Amino acid sequence: MLIINCPLCGPRDHAEFTYVGDATKNRPENSDNSNDNAWYDFVYLRDNPKGLHQELWQHSFGCRCFVKVLRNTLTHEIIATGMPKDNLILKEKGLELSV
Amino acid sequence: MAKYSIFNIIKNAFNEDKNWARAWRDPEPKKSYDVIIIGAGGHGLASAFYLAKNHGIRNIAVLEKGYLGGGNTGRNTTIVRSNYMLDENAHFYEKSLQLWEQLSSELNYNVMFSQRGVLNLAHTDSQIDAITRRGNTMRLNGIDAELLDEKQIRKLMPYLDFSNDVRFPIKGGLLQRRGGTARHDAVAWGLARAADSLGVDIIQNCEVIGFEETGNKITIVKTSRGNFNCGKVGFAVAGNTGHLASLINLKLPIESHVLQAFVSEPLKPMIDHVVTFGAGHFYISQSDKGGLVFGGDIDMYNSYAQKGNLPLIEEVVTAGLAMIPSLSRLRITRHWGGVMDMSMDGSPIIGKSPIDNLYLNCGWCYGGFKATPGSGWVFAHTIANDEPHSLNKGLNLERFKKGRMVDERGAGPFPNRH
Ligand SMILES: Cc1cc2nc3c(=O)[nH]c(=O)nc-3n(C[C@H](O)[C@H](O)[C@H](O)COP(=O)(O)OP(=O)(O)OC[C@H]3O[C@@H](n4cnc5c(N)ncnc54)[C@H](O)[C@@H]3O)c2cc1C
């Protein structure tokens, strides 16, 4: 079981959460054709890193908030959690993005 | 290389089987190869085999970071079928099934392909409608499919829960009799032996760690055993595709997720077919050694670890017990995980890439074992001719940009939902 430290509810089993996915994707500003590439990137392309991954989980069986999690995809170790707007990488000073 | 035959077996029996030659070489790598395939799973080995056999290209290396067949090929639940609905998948997987039917004799190696039939159960009226539609589509495509009612299923599979007061009563099922299972290791070993005998160098313990590019071409493949010059490069690394692609700054519509599988203690023959539950994700068959082999969903979060988590095990077993209550007293003897290359529409990507001499074979999700010979067949064609075979034209990478998804389930761009 992964233990996710929800910023509002405290440490909880991951079975209480629904996995949302990559937290680094930003929705493009508008949807005119000039932005096709940005939409392609947003909807379909993923860094899919082997190592540190910033991801969103929804606390479906708790506060229902979205929680940002910094997790290692190779070891499943959770390094930090926060609210979606938090930059967890910056918080964890000295941490390299690649493993 | 000596052909395996009854005479060979008798001859070697006289020498207490001490004189069998090794099945494939362990060659010293050359400096340069016309084609380098990365990943010696079933797909990489089949691609090398068909490149040599169908296209006459012999200067080929298959590079493997561990031992051949140690990835998903050696970790899967070995279900083989071609019960797809969309054209891009249906004809490709049917070609693959036809190749399976010939594979043992083609390779002179028994891959223990067993056409025991694959049955998908339906539990509601709408599921009956859905499997009827699927079955009709398959038959229009010339692929075998049979709709069974509850009575017929009861005869074939008396161990299923047919009581009326259950949450998900069995209403019917779709049977593909030509589907079944194969011995996963034998597939890897048979393909390795056959490719090796055509001159393909299979280089194990050789991890690809980088690339050198000139213009829009890969010129050098860097590995833990030195650098190789290359003509063309093919990726066939399943769950490691994302990582390998990141070494040449290529982003793909793929996420890596872990899928677990389970084997029970051995039993006398009980389950003669492959059966899948329609009200949850669960599939089961029985191996020749008697163990029940089963699995369910992925663990749902991105993972490169070849290990899964306990909540998912509980979920899989719950679905299994709903379908076959008599499993409740059975012990699980082994379970493990493999890293899946989950694509954004649930269908594979097999074709050209944005880099001139790089070809992609990935996005197999849960279902790439059955694709093994078909994948090798069309991937070899694509590499040799620098253009796709008619069977993998629709399974290209551009489809994501153009909005032409091949999404059997209609689940949308969520890789863990396929
Ligand atoms: C638990 C489980 C159950 C499954 N059940 C089924 C099923 O019932 N039916 C079905 O059809 N499919 C099933 N699948 C899917 C199927 O196993 C795969 O899609 C298929 O085997 C993939 O074959 P492959 O040759 O592409 O990959 P693999 O067999 O994984 O081979 C890829 C190889 O690449 C190597 N590699 C990776 N990175 C590098 C590198 N940098 N350098 C060199 N080598 C590298 C790996 O070591 C590996 O050996 C299942 C998978 C799992 C995990």
Side-chain angles (χ1 to χ4, degrees), chain B residues 39 41-43 64-65 72-73 76-77 79 208 238 366-370:
Chain B
H43 289 218
E64 167 56 51
K65 72 171 175 179
N72 291 347
T73 299
N76 82 101
T77 45
I79 301 168
V208 173
Y366 293 45
F369 180 69
K370 70 174 104 70

Side-chain angles (χ1 to χ4, degrees), chain A residues 1-2 14-15 18-19 22 25 37 40-41 43-50 53 57 71 73-76, chain B residues 65 240 242-243 251-256 300-305 307 309 311 344 400-401 405 413 416:
Chain A
M1 188 77 77
L2 309 179
H14 86 265
T18 308
Y19 184 66
D22 192 334
K25 294 310 239 187
N37 275 335
Y40 170 54
D41 186 90
V43 178
Y44 296 112
L45 299 184
R46 296 293 176 265
D47 288 337
N48 192 21
K50 184 178 192 166
H53 189 229
W57 293 71
R71 192 177 55 90
T73 59
L74 196 57
T75 61
H76 295 171
Chain B
K65 72 171 175 179
N240 280 290
H243 176 65
K251 258 200 229 182
L252 295 171
I254 286 184
E255 279 183 7
S256 297
M300 290 293 165
Y301 46 83
N302 287 49
S303 174
Y304 278 89
K307 64 175 184 204
N309 223 313
M344 281 287 176
F400 295 93
K401 203 162 197 171
M405 300 307 116
N416 55 354

